[in-house]
Amino acid sequence: ARSRIIATIGLFRGDQMRSSTAFAFVFVCLSSAAALASPDLYECKFSGTSNAGGWIPPEVVVLHEPGQGDATVIDGIIQHFLKEPLAAEVAADTDKRLSFGWTYLTKSGAQTARMHYRLTFFRQSGKASITAQAAGYIGPDTGSGTCKRGKAG
């Protein structure tokens, strides 16, 4: 059902998101937000991502219920490899920052890589950083940008 809805509204063109607003809207609809009280929605944008080996997405959207130890994340790379949002864990939740981590397996031809991600949102400034590390490879790739925090419901 998720892929049918995404295909119907033409949300993605290749691996890139067309509109972060439309993307966030569909993401919220698909993430069973109705079961959550009032989750926070983080729309994050990162610049200079083309210099990061292609593993830092230009946009990441995270849905997180405050006080919970998990979240849901989607970006163009996750959409390309997994075709749906991915579960993430809260790696740090302090007055100053909120960090999310997630891991997934990528496959290109005969080559596979386990990708480890960490996104940190700095609460006061709205700035964000992201790292991507392919297990067993030299790295990581990094990116910096900003996140807008809003309510999903």
Side-chain angles (χ1 to χ4, degrees):
R2 289 179 181 180
S3 57
R4 185 178 63 224
I5 293 170
I6 290 172
T8 301
I9 65 168
L11 182 59
F12 291 91
R13 175 183 290 150
D15 296 340
Q16 300 299 316
M17 290 180 254
R18 281 190 188 177
S19 162
S20 83
T21 304
F23 179 70
F25 172 76
V26 171
F27 178 67
V28 170
C29 291
L30 297 178
S31 298
S32 66
L36 302 173
S38 184
D40 289 336
L41 181 72
Y42 297 87
E43 294 181 83
C44 305
K45 295 182 186 253
F46 299 96
S47 59
T49 58
S50 61
N51 297 329
W55 292 110
I56 301 295
E59 294 183 45
V60 178
V61 176
V62 179
L63 187 66
H64 174 248
E65 177 72 23
Q68 298 298 311
D70 60 351
T72 305
V73 63
I74 186 78
D75 61 39
I77 300 170
I78 294 170
Q79 177 62 26
H80 173 78
F81 285 105
L82 303 178
K83 311 295 186 223
E84 61 185 8
L86 180 68
E89 66 179 29
V90 174
D93 188 355
T94 69
D95 291 341
K96 294 183 180 184
R97 72 175 196 260
L98 179 59
S99 295
F100 304 99
W102 61 95
T103 299
Y104 58 91
L105 192 64
T106 65
K107 184 172 182 166
S108 180
Q111 190 172 19
T112 61
R114 182 167 305 280
M115 296 300 299
H116 302 280
Y117 281 83
R118 184 169 178 132
L119 184 152
T120 299
F121 169 67
F122 298 94
R123 296 179 191 272
Q124 284 188 320
S125 66
K127 292 183 179 183
S129 65
I130 188 168
T131 60
Q133 175 67 55
Y137 290 85
I138 296 174
D141 293 333
T142 61
S144 60
T146 60
C147 294
K148 290 181 184 177
R149 181 178 153 226
K151 288 293 184 183

